[in-house]
Amino acid sequence: SYETGDSIEPAAGRAGEREAFAIEPGTRSVIAQGWRALGLLNTFRFALVLLLTPLTALRSPEVSAQIPGVLQGALLLYFLLAGLWAITLSARRPSLKIQSRAQLLLDVAVLSVIIVAGRGYGSGLSVVMLMPVAVAGMVMPRRGAEFTAALATFGLLTGEVIDHLLLGSPPAYTQAGAIALMGFIATLSMNFLASRLDESARLAEQRLAGSSS
């Protein structure tokens, strides 16, 4: 098996893990990097909840809940999801492909709610959306990473419409658009970096195999 704990299955199983990553073919070091990236993202989830919960309770001017019940519920859900992902990441089951897609799509949805239920886009809270889309660039193929960034953009802009038109907050479409653009840049940059790391790992493995033969 791989050092990451994934079992190697003939053809189909191996191709599934490769498809989960930014570049084919998958290597031990690259797949391990994917698991580490998801682990880092999960640490971010716990840290975000532990930071925002007391700030919300203390009615901090930086993070005041404009929809308190929804914000508290979203933070609780995010914490519970982080606990669930901690278990699945530790077990390395389901596969990297399944976990990356499930975790990142749920991140986009829950963070969109947290941003709107908090002080909205004018508070700068929307920058938290950059973390999952950056990780998507590391652990997904380019099209999958771009799709995640597009969903994040949709969530940001839809949330801003709700925040402005339904909740009466000052318009912050420029801020939401800027964060969305930064998300695409982060996604593509991390995807490019992952591809270069994968290429370097494959070349190193080929040299090692050549020297040992």
Side-chain angles (χ1 to χ4, degrees):
S1 64
Y2 284 122
E3 294 176 356
T4 59
D6 286 338
S7 60
I8 299 182
E9 300 175 2
R14 193 177 302 178
E17 285 296 350
R18 291 173 181 175
E19 184 183 350
F21 226 85
I23 293 296
E24 299 179 357
T27 61
R28 293 183 182 184
S29 59
V30 173
I31 293 175
Q33 182 68 27
W35 287 115
R36 285 194 293 269
L38 289 183
L40 176 63
L41 178 59
N42 211 45
T43 301
F44 163 79
R45 295 184 186 107
F46 281 117
L48 182 66
V49 173
L50 294 176
L51 174 65
L52 293 185
T53 299
L55 289 177
T56 301
L58 295 173
R59 300 180 182 275
S60 166
E62 288 79 16
V63 186
S64 59
Q66 59 182 357
I67 316 177
V70 174
L71 178 59
Q72 293 165 5
L75 288 173
L76 176 60
L77 175 60
Y78 206 44
F79 183 81
L80 293 176
L81 285 173
L84 173 63
W85 302 141
I87 296 172
T88 60
L89 287 171
S90 177
R92 302 281 170 90
R93 292 291 184 274
S95 67
L96 179 63
K97 175 181 179 179
I98 294 174
Q99 288 206 48
S100 62
R101 281 154 175 75
Q103 292 187 29
L104 293 168
L105 293 180
L106 284 172
D107 269 7
V108 169
V110 177
L111 288 176
S112 296
V113 175
I114 289 175
I115 293 168
V116 174
R119 285 190 63 209
Y121 293 82
S123 66
L125 187 59
S126 53
V127 296
V128 299
M129 190 68 83
L130 295 178
M131 184 66 172
V133 296
V135 171
M138 297 180 63
V139 301
M140 285 184 172
R142 178 163 179 166
R143 283 189 296 179
E146 290 174 346
F147 179 71
T148 302
L151 284 181
T153 299
F154 177 79
L156 287 167
L157 296 179
T158 301
E160 171 54 22
V161 170
I162 294 173
D163 191 35
H164 178 213
L165 299 181
L166 299 183
L167 301 178
S169 299
Y173 294 100
T174 301
Q175 293 93 319
I179 294 297
L181 177 60
M182 291 171 62
F184 268 102
I185 293 174
T187 298
L188 296 176
S189 298
M190 296 307 295
N191 191 262
F192 176 80
L193 177 61
S195 70
R196 298 284 76 78
L197 291 174
D198 177 59
E199 183 178 353
S200 298
R202 286 189 292 111
L203 289 174
E205 288 187 357
Q206 290 172 3
R207 293 194 191 98
L208 182 61
S211 61
S212 60
S213 60

